[in-house]
Amino acid sequence: MTVFSMETDESTFTAWSKVYADNGPWHDWRLYKLAVEAEEAMLVRDFEHLQAIPYLRNFTPLPHQTETARKVLHELHGRAILADEVGLGKTIEAGLILKEYMMRGMVKKALILVPASLVLQWSRELSQKFGIRAVAHKKQYVWDHCDCVVASIETAKRAPHRETVLKHHYDMLIVDEAHKLKNKNTGNYRFISELSKTYCLLLTATPVQNRLDELYHLVNILKPGQLGAQQQFRASHVSGSRTAKNEDVLREQLCRVMIRNRRADGDLHLTKRIVEKIDLQLSPQEMALYRGVSEFVRERYHVQAGDAGGLFSLMTLQREVCSSRDAVFLTLTNMFKKTPEQSPLRARIWELVELIRQIEANTKAERALQIVREVGEKVIIFTEYRATQEYLLHYCKVHKVPAVAYRGGMNRGKKDWMTDLFRDRAQVLIATEAGGEGINLQFCHHMINYDLPWNPMRVEQRIGRIHRLGQSHDVRIYNFATRDTIEQHIVSLLHDKIKMFESVIGELDPILTDGAAERRFELSLLDSLMTDAEEQWTCYEQQ
Amino acid sequence: MNNNELKQFLSRFCEATGCEIHEKTDSHMTVKLSEEADRQLTGRPYYWMFVDRTGEAAQTMTMRWQYGEQLEGAQSGATSAGTGFGFRLPQMACDYGGEGLERIFRVCKERGRFVRLFEHGDLPLAGGRSRSLQTWACFQLKIEFICDLKKELLLSLGVNLQTGKMLDDFHKRMLVRDLRPQLPPRIFLPPDVVSLDHAWQKAVRVAHEFVAAHDDRWAVRANERMTAELEASEHYFSQLLMDEGKHDTQVLDEQRMQERQHIEEQRQNRAAEIRRQFAPLVRISLLNGGLFHLNPASNISNAV
C-alpha cells in the first residue's frame, strides 16, 4: 500500500522537447553547471537539520532560541504559541522559524500581524537579521504582490483589506502580542480564525491574563479541539475563574502547542529581579478624601442598584485618589459637568472637590522623589493615569529632576525621541500603560510601579521593558501600595491571578513581594462586589 | 557554500553572463552588469522597455555584491574610493538564503536548463569508417519528500540513446570531460534508437523505483499525525454542532442557520488545512537536462 501520493512535474521536459525539436536555442554549459551547484547548495538534505542557522550572517541566535525553532519544526509541526517571558527574544525565534521554512521552500507567502507601533520595527528586524524582505503594508497592492507582509491587525481586518487578505492562503501566519486574541467574541479573534493558514505562530509572554478560558481560545486558533470542546475543558480544568484543576494533564497538553522559555532557565545570564513593596500611609488630608470618595461610591452603588459597570467606574475614583489628586479631580469635574444642574449630586461632588483643595502634599510623589534621589540613577515610573503623569512631570520639574513623558498616543518618531532623551539627558521616564509594548530600555534598571493595574501580566509587560536580554544590572522594582485602601485589595487579587498563571503555564519571576500576610484586608461591602466589577473590567479591556 | 565558494560562484556567473568584475575582495565584488544580466537582476522593466522602444544605447548598472562580513563603517569609504564615482553604488546582499542570491540562482536555473554538447579530443576511427559519437540524454531530477517536514535529493540519470543503457551520477561524469557546443570536424552522429520521450519515461520510472525503495517511515508518521489531528478536529466540531443543535428545540431561525453554516465551513477549512500541512507527497521534477555526444572510447561507466 502506498502511504504517500506521487506527483511528476512534466513541464520542464515539455519545454525541453520543444528545444530539441527546433534543435535550439541551447543554453550555456557554464550556467547549466552553476544551476546544478545552486540547487545542491539549497538542497534540503534531511528532515531534521536546521538549514538557516549557519547562514545567519549578522548575529548568532542564543541556544534557547535555536532549540525553540527546532522544537516548533519537529515536535509542534509549525503551529505553536511562543510564550517566552518578556525580553528573551520571541521575535528572533519567530524570525528563525520563518527563515527555516522559507529556506526549505515550504513557506512562500507569509503574513505577520503586529501592533501598529511595531510594524516598522518588525520589518526592519526581519530584513537585517534574517535577510527576509518583509514589506510593511502601506498600499492595497502589497497584499497581492509581496510574499511577506507586515501589517497591523486593525488594518488587515478592515475593509477593503479584509476581503483581499481572506482571499489568500498564507503558508505562515505570525501574530505578535497574541494575548489580544483571548476573547473569541471579538472581531480580531474571528478574523484570525478565518484566515487560511498552514503554519502559525502566536507570540505572547502572557498567554493567560485573567481567566483560564483565554488560554483555551488561544489554543483553539492554532488547533481547534486540541483542548477538547469548551464544556469539556471547563469541566476538567476550571474550578473557578482564577483557579485551575488537573494542572498536570493540562500542562502536558499545552506542551504540544506551547513553548515557554524562562529567564531563570539554563544559561541565559540574566540579571536578578528584586521586588520591593513600598507600603505608604496616606496623609490625613488624603485619607479624608479617600473616605469621602468611598462613602460616595457606596451611596451611588446603592442608588444604581448593583450596576456593576457603574461600580467599576466608581471604583476608579478610589484608585485615582490613591494615585494623585489631579487624577481624581479630573474625573470629578467631568462627572460634575455631566450631572444636571438641579441634581443634589452636584453638591456632593463639590464637597469632594473641597476635600481635594485641602490636600497639599502627595505622599506617593514624595516617596518616589526620595527613591529617585537615593538611587541617583535612571528610573522609570509607571502610572495608570494621564493626569498623574502630568502631575509627576510638573513635580519633577519643580524639584529639578530632569524627566520625560512616554505614552501610547505618541507616534513612533516621538517615542524614539523620548527614549533617546531619557537615555542621554533625563533621569526619569514617566510612562503610562499604553506606552509599555515594544520599547526596550535595558539601560535603566529601576522601576517604580506608582499604581498597579488589575492585571498582573500588564505589570509583567512593564517590567519586561527593562528586565530583558542585554540588561547588565540587577533590576529593582518598587511597587507602591497605600494602606487601608483599594490598592491593598488589588495586590491580593494580583496574587490570585499569578497563582493561576503559575499553576498552568509555569513559574513567573516575582512581580510582587510575597503577600500572604495581606489577605486579612477587609472592606466588607466592596469585597464581595469586586469580582463582579473585575469581570466587567475584563470585558471592557477586551473590547 | 562558504564565502570563498560564493565568491567563486559569483565570478563564474559573471564570466558566463558577460559581466565585468571591476573589483573583487574577500567580502564583496563590484560588477558592471551585462545587458542580459541587468535585465534579469535589477528589476527595472520600465527602463528596458524605454531602451527597446527608443533604441537608446543601454546603460547597464554597476552594482556591488556583498557576500562576506561587512566591516562597520568601511562601506561608504570603500564604495566611493573603489569606483571613483561620487555616489553610492547600489548594493545587493548575496546572503545564502537571501533574496539577492536567490535571484542569481534563479537566473542560472532559467538560463541553464537545456544543453547540447559534444566531446572533443582524440577520437578513434570506428572500424575504418568516419568517427562517431554516442548520444546520451541526461536528466537531473529533483525528488522532494514533503509533509509538514521536507527532504530533497538530486538524481542525475543518463540514458544512452543508442543502446538504452542507463547510468546514475551522470552529471559528475560529465564534469571531467572536454565538452563544447560545437560539433567537432568530420564527425558522424548515429541516429537515435531510443527517442528522447522514451528516455524521459525510463528516467521517471527509475526515479519511481528509487522512491519506492526508499525508507517510507517519514510518510507513515506524517499520516499518523494527520489522522490524529483530523480526529481531534472532527470530534471538536461535531461536538460544537451538537451543542448548537441542543438549543433549537422548536425552530431553526435565520441566525442559527448561519451559525451552523459557519461552524460547518470552519470544520471543512480546518480539515483542508490539516491535509495541506501533513499529507505526505513525493514530487519529482526536472531541474535541467541535456544531450551529450560522447566519445565511446572514453570509459564512461567507470565508477565516479
Side-chain angles (χ1 to χ4, degrees):
Chain A
M1 195 194 81
T2 48
V3 287
F4 49 81
S5 43
M6 286 268 251
E7 190 181 291
T8 308
D9 178 357
E10 301 262 351
S11 61
T12 312
F13 179 73
T14 313
W16 182 6
S17 305
K18 178 151 188 341
V19 175
Y20 176 71
D22 301 348
N23 191 19
W26 297 97
H27 290 162
D28 190 294
W29 173 224
R30 291 170 298 187
L31 284 171
Y32 177 97
K33 285 189 280 189
L34 288 173
V36 176
E37 281 172 46
E39 194 63 41
E40 276 175 348
M42 296 300 293
L43 208 63
V44 181
R45 289 178 192 282
D46 62 41
F47 289 118
E48 306 283 313
H49 177 74
L50 289 184
Q51 302 257 121
I53 308 252
Y55 296 98
L56 298 173
R57 193 153 21 75
N58 300 321
F59 82 110
T60 315
L62 294 166
H64 76 273
Q65 293 165 340
T66 314
E67 176 59 17
T68 300
R70 195 196 60 75
K71 262 197 187 158
V72 168
L73 263 96
H74 300 132
E75 290 168 28
L76 276 56
H77 318 303
R79 283 193 174 220
I81 299 173
L82 302 182
D84 284 8
E85 286 186 298
V86 185
L88 294 186
K90 285 187 289 294
T91 312
I92 293 191
E93 289 167 1
L96 203 53
I97 294 162
L98 177 61
K99 179 76 174 177
E100 182 64 31
Y101 275 120
M102 283 179 150
M103 287 192 69
R104 291 181 163 253
M106 299 166 80
V107 166
K108 197 161 180 294
K109 201 152 180 66
L111 178 63
I112 299 160
L113 296 175
V114 308
S117 57
L118 301 182
V119 168
L120 289 177
Q121 198 173 314
W122 263 87
S123 159
R124 232 179 359 231
E125 209 158 322
L126 285 177
S127 133
Q128 280 168 1
K129 295 210 166 86
F130 300 97
I132 296 172
R133 206 169 72 95
V135 182
H137 174 266
K138 285 216 181 67
K139 298 260 166 60
Q140 184 72 10
Y141 69 83
V142 167
W143 299 124
D144 295 324
H145 294 277
C146 301
D147 283 337
C148 185
V149 179
V150 188
S152 77
I153 192 166
E154 282 72 26
T155 310
K157 73 168 181 197
R158 262 200 335 253
H161 310 298
R162 182 192 183 86
E163 292 66 32
T164 320
V165 175
L166 286 177
K167 192 181 74 198
H168 287 291
H169 173 81
Y170 291 96
D171 301 317
M172 169 73 88
L173 171 71
I174 297 176
V175 184
D176 193 12
E177 307 293 352
H179 46 262
K180 291 185 179 147
L181 303 174
K182 61 193 172 180
N183 184 342
K184 68 167 177 151
N185 296 320
T186 57
N188 284 356
Y189 189 94
R190 278 214 158 193
F191 176 64
I192 299 288
S193 327
E194 279 171 34
L195 269 174
S196 162
K197 55 204 175 279
T198 307
Y199 302 102
C200 182
L201 302 174
L202 303 178
L203 278 54
T204 171
T206 52
V208 179
Q209 302 214 321
N210 292 301
R211 1 158 86 249
L212 214 46
D213 276 355
E214 296 164 1
L215 185 65
Y216 176 81
H217 296 311
L218 209 54
V219 171
N220 250 18
I221 288 183
L222 290 181
K223 297 184 179 180
Q226 171 77 24
L227 300 179
Q230 192 165 357
Q231 268 79 14
Q232 198 184 325
F233 174 75
R234 282 221 175 116
S236 46
H237 297 302
V238 181
S239 70
S241 77
R242 282 193 298 276
T243 34
K245 57 184 185 188
N246 303 326
E247 294 96 327
D248 294 344
V249 183
L250 183 55
R251 235 174 305 176
E252 201 195 298
Q253 284 176 325
L254 280 177
C255 276
R256 281 180 248 147
V257 282
M258 186 170 87
I259 294 179
R260 178 170 177 84
N261 293 302
R262 298 201 49 234
R263 294 189 193 79
D265 295 342
D267 34 31
L268 282 173
H269 303 300
L270 263 158
T271 56
K272 268 193 296 195
R273 179 190 289 194
I274 301 150
V275 180
E276 201 176 324
K277 182 176 173 223
I278 312 275
D279 258 322
L280 297 168
Q281 183 64 54
L282 291 175
S283 71
Q285 293 89 350
E286 285 171 321
M287 205 58 208
L289 174 62
Y290 185 81
R291 293 224 177 83
V293 166
S294 301
E295 185 55 36
F296 177 72
V297 169
R298 222 160 297 169
E299 281 167 28
R300 297 306 305 152
Y301 182 69
H302 283 301
V303 173
Q304 291 174 358
D307 168 18
L311 179 67
F312 162 70
S313 57
L314 285 166
M315 266 170 16
T316 303
L317 275 179
Q318 290 181 303
R319 299 176 63 208
E320 285 171 340
V321 179
C322 299
S323 182
S324 73
R325 57 177 203 164
D326 300 62
V328 72
F329 179 73
L330 195 72
T331 311
L332 282 178
T333 340
N334 286 339
M335 211 181 254
F336 186 80
K337 281 183 199 151
K338 270 189 251 161
T339 316
E341 252 174 65
Q342 56 280 59
S343 162
L345 206 57
R346 281 203 152 193
R348 278 293 282 134
I349 295 175
W350 204 246
E351 279 169 33
L352 293 176
V353 174
E354 280 302 318
L355 284 175
I356 292 179
R357 285 184 209 277
Q358 307 297 314
I359 297 173
E360 276 141 20
N362 181 320
T363 311
K364 276 184 169 177
E366 281 168 1
R367 189 56 194 274
L369 184 69
Q370 190 194 338
I371 289 173
V372 167
R373 288 202 165 130
E374 273 167 16
V375 303
E377 288 170 323
K378 295 195 188 296
V379 179
I380 300 172
I381 302 177
F382 259 107
T383 174
E384 293 254 279
Y385 307 102
R386 275 290 298 279
T388 304
Q389 186 186 34
E390 295 293 337
Y391 168 74
L392 285 174
L393 273 174
H394 172 74
Y395 189 79
C396 284
K397 199 174 165 196
V398 171
H399 291 88
K400 309 231 170 345
V401 175
V404 289
Y406 193 102
R407 57 178 159 262
M410 293 175 169
N411 64 31
R412 190 77 221 162
K414 188 153 185 199
K415 280 181 177 171
D416 287 345
W417 185 46
M418 287 300 169
T419 311
D420 290 347
L421 277 180
F422 178 45
R423 186 180 48 227
D424 303 332
R425 305 265 174 87
Q427 190 191 349
V428 176
L429 180 89
I430 302 162
T432 54
E433 204 67 51
E437 273 163 10
I439 44 165
N440 304 331
L441 305 165
Q442 293 96 321
F443 53 85
C444 167
H445 54 275
H446 295 278
M447 176 180 287
I448 295 174
N449 283 310
Y450 197 81
D451 32 45
L452 290 165
W454 294 116
N455 180 340
M457 298 309 139
R458 306 245 301 262
V459 188
E460 178 62 26
Q461 289 277 6
R462 287 175 173 186
I463 299 174
R465 299 303 112 215
I466 60 172
H467 195 207
R468 57 195 300 124
L469 286 174
Q471 176 59 267
S472 49
H473 293 81
D474 286 347
V475 168
R476 302 195 86 96
I477 312 295
Y478 310 89
N479 290 332
F480 282 11
T482 48
R483 260 176 238 138
D484 303 325
T485 67
I486 192 168
E487 289 196 328
Q488 273 195 331
H489 190 93
I490 293 177
V491 168
S492 83
L493 198 75
L494 289 177
H495 272 288
D496 283 353
K497 289 180 176 177
I498 290 169
K499 257 203 189 151
M500 172 189 72
F501 187 93
E502 294 192 331
S503 73
V504 178
I505 308 291
E507 267 177 74
L508 267 176
D509 264 4
I511 292 174
L512 308 166
T513 35
D514 194 6
E518 287 156 26
R519 303 290 167 91
R520 57 189 148 71
F521 170 68
E522 273 166 39
L523 208 133
S524 53
L525 171 68
L526 287 178
D527 205 32
S528 59
L529 299 170
M530 280 282 281
T531 326
D532 278 359
E534 183 225 334
E535 304 273 288
Q536 202 78 21
W537 172 237
T538 312
C539 294
Y540 284 147
E541 259 188 318
Q542 285 164 351
Q543 277 158 15
Chain B
M1 281 188 199
N2 60 31
N3 283 354
N4 200 34
E5 285 165 333
L6 256 178
K7 181 175 155 189
Q8 298 297 329
F9 185 95
L10 294 171
S11 307
R12 286 165 53 211
F13 176 81
C14 288
E15 196 198 311
T17 52
C19 301
E20 273 174 60
I21 299 174
H22 286 175
E23 184 203 11
K24 182 155 72 172
T25 73
D26 283 341
S27 64
H28 69 269
M29 56 174 74
T30 310
V31 180
K32 168 100 172 123
L33 299 178
S34 64
E35 185 181 321
E36 182 196 351
D38 192 301
R39 281 177 192 269
Q40 281 159 357
L41 289 178
T42 58
R44 32 181 207 163
Y46 294 113
Y47 174 72
W48 286 107
M49 211 192 292
F50 165 77
V51 169
D52 292 342
R53 295 237 173 112
T54 60
E56 192 88 356
Q59 288 285 324
T60 62
M61 210 184 250
T62 300
M63 53 186 338
R64 182 171 145 136
W65 293 347
Q66 189 77 37
Y67 39 86
E69 250 3 279
Q70 189 167 1
L71 294 173
E72 268 319 303
Q75 177 191 338
S76 54
T79 315
S80 47
T83 61
F85 298 127
F87 55 89
R88 271 190 61 176
L89 282 175
Q91 295 237 3
M92 184 161 86
C94 295
D95 296 307
Y96 178 77
E99 217 199 352
L101 194 61
E102 181 63 30
R103 226 182 283 170
I104 289 178
F105 281 3
R106 204 158 50 225
V107 173
C108 296
K109 282 182 212 170
E110 267 162 32
R111 314 281 302 160
R113 282 204 290 179
F114 323 114
V115 293
R116 180 169 199 181
L117 298 163
F118 304 88
E119 184 165 19
H120 285 241
D122 289 336
L123 295 173
L125 289 170
R129 289 172 296 154
S130 59
R131 301 152 208 263
S132 78
L133 293 173
Q134 271 193 335
T135 308
W136 290 78
C138 172
F139 304 97
Q140 313 257 44
L141 297 171
K142 181 167 160 181
I143 304 182
E144 297 166 274
F145 301 85
I146 308 167
C147 53
D148 59 310
L149 299 165
K150 188 179 185 186
K151 186 172 97 168
E152 301 169 331
L153 50 86
L154 291 179
L155 219 50
S156 178
L157 301 176
V159 180
N160 188 318
L161 297 188
Q162 267 83 49
T163 65
K165 178 182 158 92
M166 179 174 273
L167 278 176
D168 62 1
D169 273 330
F170 195 80
H171 184 65
K172 269 192 202 148
R173 300 173 202 266
M174 293 305 100
L175 292 175
V176 293
R177 286 160 189 271
D178 177 11
L179 298 168
R180 301 179 206 169
Q182 303 84 12
L183 190 71
R186 294 185 304 281
I187 274 299
F188 167 69
L189 287 180
D192 298 342
V193 176
V194 179
S195 74
L196 186 62
D197 270 331
H198 200 86
W200 163 248
Q201 276 152 27
K202 185 165 177 172
V204 171
R205 202 161 55 239
V206 168
H208 278 245
E209 282 162 18
F210 175 85
V211 170
H214 204 80
D215 183 353
D216 67 356
R217 272 174 299 178
W218 67 276
V220 173
R221 280 195 289 256
N223 277 319
E224 285 165 7
R225 292 197 285 274
M226 179 165 72
T227 314
E229 297 259 339
L230 281 173
E231 274 169 10
S233 158
E234 206 44 37
H235 177 253
Y236 169 74
F237 282 111
S238 45
Q239 189 73 39
L240 215 58
L241 282 171
M242 230 156 69
D243 292 348
E244 186 59 33
K246 277 181 200 153
H247 299 298
D248 47 315
T249 43
Q250 309 294 319
V251 273
L252 277 174
D253 58 26
E254 186 84 350
Q255 201 188 350
R256 186 134 293 150
M257 284 294 276
Q258 271 181 3
E259 189 55 37
R260 285 189 74 90
Q261 211 175 347
H262 182 71
I263 296 174
E264 193 54 53
E265 250 168 50
Q266 277 188 313
R267 170 197 210 156
Q268 280 163 17
N269 289 347
R270 179 63 190 140
E273 269 178 12
I274 293 172
R275 291 210 174 81
R276 191 199 287 256
Q277 188 182 358
F278 293 101
L281 165 74
V282 175
R283 186 191 292 138
I284 298 170
S285 56
L286 181 64
L287 166 65
N288 55 14
L291 291 175
F292 294 86
H293 301 281
L294 303 178
N295 181 350
S298 57
N299 203 347
I300 183 164
S301 313
N302 276 357
V304 214

